Amino acid sequence: MEEEEEAVPVRTLLANRHISPEMSSCFLDEEKFRQCCQLFLEHSDSLSDGWRWESVKDSHEGYLRKTALGTSRRRSNPDQISEREQQQTSSDPHQEKTSLSLQNNNDGIDDGALCCLREGSSGVVIQYEYHILYSNSYQTPVLYFRASTLDGKSLSLEDVWDSVHSNYRQRLQNGPWDTITQQEHPLLGQSFFVLHPCRTEEFMRPVMQAALEADRQVNYVVTWLSVVGPVVGLDVPLSYCTQVPAVPHCTFNSLHPAAVETSPD
Amino acid sequence: MAAVSRDKDSADQKLQFAPFSSALEAGFWHQLTQKKLNDYRLDESPKNIKGYYYNGDPVGLPTRLTLEFSAFEADGPSPARCCPVTGTLYNTNTLEAFKTSDKKALLEQQSKEIWEAIQSDAALKDPSLLCSFLLLTYADLKKYHYYYWFCFPALCFSEGIKILKQPVTLAEVFSPRQTSGLQAAYDRLCIDTGTSAVPYFLVKHSEAAVEVALLRHWDSFITDFNKVTVGVYDPCTLPQHPGWPLRNLLFLIASKWGPQLGVLEVLCFRDRTLQGTRNIQHSIVFQVKLPVLEQSDNTVCPKSVGWEKNPKGAMGPRMVNLSECMDPKRLAESSVDLNLKLMRWRLVPSLNLDKVTSTKCLLLGAGTLGCNVARTLMGWGVRRITFVDNAKISYSNPVRQHLYEFEDCLGGGKDKASAAVDRLGKIFPGVVAEGHVMSIPMPGHPVNFSAATVSQAQKDVEHLEKLITEHDVIFLLMDTRESRWLPTVIAASKRKLVINSALGFDTFVVMRHGLKKPKPCDATDSSPSISSSASSSSSTPAEPAHLPAASLFSNIPGHRLGCYFCNDVVAPGDSTRDRTLDQQCTVSRPGLAMIAGALAVELMVSILQHSEGGYAVASSSDDRMNEPPTSLGLVPHQIRGFLSRFDNVLPASLAFDKCTACSQVVLDSYEKDGFNFLSKVFNSSHSFLEDLTGLTQLHQETQNAEIWDMSDDESI
């Protein structure tokens, strides 16, 4: 991943590591990220939760990915969509003709198809796609997501917003999650929404420090996802928190002053 | 045999299948676009692709055949609990080819392949051949419109399939032990075959045990043709209907063993995990009697169906417009807007961005200030930016004027106004920029050399009047003082907000001109007495009682603020300490234009956020500790900056009743006599305006006063 401009404050924080070793407990290096993901995946498989690791062709890079379906609660959405479809059809008079000719061809056959099913009759079906990537700049996981209707058309952020539960919507606008923005997926080059990682350290620090003080090992990815996932409609079953092991000897505070001095940055 | 009179009942008992709904992930279209651009290009030949259906949806979701970005890797892995389906992509080069392609023939061809696989027993060995799809597409990559039509071929019996026993859930027919036996047996089958899902299988169940087997083991596995149970990995969630994949299996069974078969029991295997708990009890079981195929059916490919209906329920293609998420220009627009909205979510929730982005800005001058103002406006998401400048780009310009490059200077240099427009479009294609190469007539610069020069000046004035009328905010960013006069007069007359910025060597001024009250004819709700207040003397402020009293330098409402020319005479409060601006001089510290240009735009934005806009009371440096009047803070009249001290001050000053640009007498003359008046100003020396406004007389009085002062001094 390219170094981003916003990385500067993180560097400043990193520069402070030798002053306060505990600070580093809120960051995650890439190897630990991979280990956390591996353990995460194993649990997902056991639950059939649908997470999988996607590798990028001809590269060592990859990401965790999950797709999920839901129906939009949005009242106006079906109308909008049908309106859109209507416009499309009416703007294309030939289309009507092709469809008619095909219908004639089907005459005389009992097609055996259940025809009472119409899309949109019970709300619009939305496909959600979640990717967990590692950010080198922030040394944290980053959640990329997008949502689309069944035809592959991405929803605007407003539409995604409306499908977020209202309890969370309130929190999103006030909490440290007010950082959803649109960015190119660093590995796919496609447009995604991102929970910007600039605040991740801020809300992970107390959690990781509390765990550290209680001498309790936690899986960073699980903890992080259980905080950020629900706000974008991503369900994280409780068993992840109770059953996914921490990375063995996952000493997030292992960056001793000596280690910092020899580190390349 | 159903009697004719019981037609309705028998129709009710015909088995109906839930058709597939095509489900395309956004990544599929991205990948198709890449393939079309890089691999397929004009190649229209069929391509192998791959989709899958998932078993385990909650009730209510349509039965989907999903294609994701990996659809083009035909032998890639499928996600867990998903059954891969091979398909054929027909991507046409033109919309016409998409429309005219013979859908009937495509379906028949694909059906024939399935039928032949049944006849040759290939489908018995590899039952996944029974379920396949066609995808006809046309990608309009200019508009990012994608036309597509799916087909899920299903061979049809000439009559319907009679249901003998209506579907019930597995829980109703299987004991818990049988259920777990089935689940375990199915999982073993998957492990044995090395797949995550076996699409079709055979089942034998008794009180004691449940066994399953692959289709190809029919002969050894099925012993009693009166009690045959087949299993299908069923993506459907409806309690009364199987999904589409069952169709061709039933045809295969009828074709192979139909005549010997009595009742056929169908188990639609449904498998979902909720909250970590796996369950198959919602699977459904029903019994059918398969129609007997005529002898001829085994030699001639049967009829088939399968083209997907569009969302309106009609037989027709679908179209999806992905310009919003794929057109780089649209992406740039939405990203810019979203980035700005971030401000609103937490920092400034009441920020009215639409008011800013919809503002039409006229930039008079496309030099150092113009370039910086334009870029800052774009940063705020402003879409309409118009430049006026008559200069060409010279070699010294690009290092300070950020919209130009060295190349732009060659061959005599491009016109700044048009080069600036081109560059804005490159920076952000969503901008609506215009450039006008024209001169602005100036006082004391005669235009009466010939009839042609007079007519040109008249055209320029009309052009400028038209531009000012068409825009909301006028930025004065020229390098001379005189050239600001005409737009100041026109904008004051047309009640347009003016933001003026001028540079000295290390000092600058950024100011808003006072916005005169609406004319009586323009605003019916304002009384004549208020609108005439602009002509009232500055020494007798007549303000509504609820406003704090305006003094010479504080609490001045927007309509009584001075313009650039007023302030030329009425100096700001602390000007005695501050160096005066050398407005004729274009030599300035290089950072100055960036500061002043940025402040000019930020001042505009703050004004737009104020409920009274240009009529807002001017904030001053003293207001820095007070409750700010807008969500963004203060709305000053002027910002005067002194780079030598790295200091800004926020003076405010009243309109001057003898101003050479915005005083009532000047505006009246302009509105009454138009170009006749203006040409007199252009052609005469400065004394014409000074006589008109009474400045001459004022100067006289001032001089006299000074003489008296001096004589007083001398007397000491």
Side-chain angles (χ1 to χ4, degrees), chain B residues 475-679:
Chain B
F475 283 89
L476 305 188
L477 311 166
M478 303 86 130
D479 53 1
T480 65
R481 187 173 152 262
E482 311 93 278
S483 58
R484 295 165 199 256
W485 180 81
L486 179 61
T488 300
V489 174
I490 299 173
S493 168
K494 295 187 185 300
R495 310 298 193 251
K496 296 287 184 179
L497 185 62
V498 173
I499 305 287
N500 192 341
S501 179
L503 305 177
F505 167 67
D506 58 2
T507 56
F508 65 85
V509 61
V510 171
M511 66 181 295
R512 54 171 165 139
H513 284 185
L515 185 61
K516 309 289 182 203
K517 287 254 168 159
K519 295 173 197 170
C521 54
D522 293 346
T524 46
D525 57 341
S526 76
S527 65
S529 66
I530 290 176
S531 64
S532 69
S533 66
S535 63
S536 67
S537 163
S538 58
S539 57
T540 57
E543 285 312 305
H546 66 273
L547 280 175
S551 75
L552 201 53
F553 302 120
S554 64
N555 292 324
I556 307 171
H559 72 275
R560 300 197 52 213
L561 288 170
C563 77
Y564 183 60
F565 293 90
C566 302
N567 287 275
D568 222 24
V569 179
V570 181
D574 59 353
S575 73
T576 48
R577 284 191 298 124
D578 301 327
R579 281 189 252 170
T580 55
L581 296 173
D582 184 355
Q583 284 121 349
Q584 305 290 342
C585 184
T586 54
V587 179
S588 58
R589 286 178 67 167
L592 207 60
M594 298 189 199
I595 299 169
L599 284 174
V601 174
E602 298 299 339
L603 176 61
M604 175 196 88
V605 172
S606 290
I607 294 167
L608 291 175
Q609 293 307 307
H610 195 285
S611 59
E612 293 175 74
Y615 295 113
V617 169
S619 317
S620 69
S621 301
D622 299 338
D623 294 322
R624 282 172 181 169
M625 306 304 284
N626 298 339
E627 178 73 17
T630 77
S631 54
L632 291 176
L634 301 184
V635 188
H637 177 215
Q638 305 170 32
I639 304 139
R640 285 179 183 254
F642 309 92
L643 204 52
S644 57
R645 299 200 315 258
F646 295 97
D647 186 23
N648 293 342
V649 293
L650 307 178
S653 57
L654 285 164
F656 182 37
D657 66 340
K658 295 181 177 59
C659 174
T660 54
C662 74
S663 61
Q664 196 58 38
V665 62
V666 172
L667 295 183
D668 284 346
S669 306
Y670 163 66
E671 283 161 20
K672 194 162 128 271
D673 298 331
F675 185 71
N676 278 340
F677 163 70
L678 295 176
S679 60

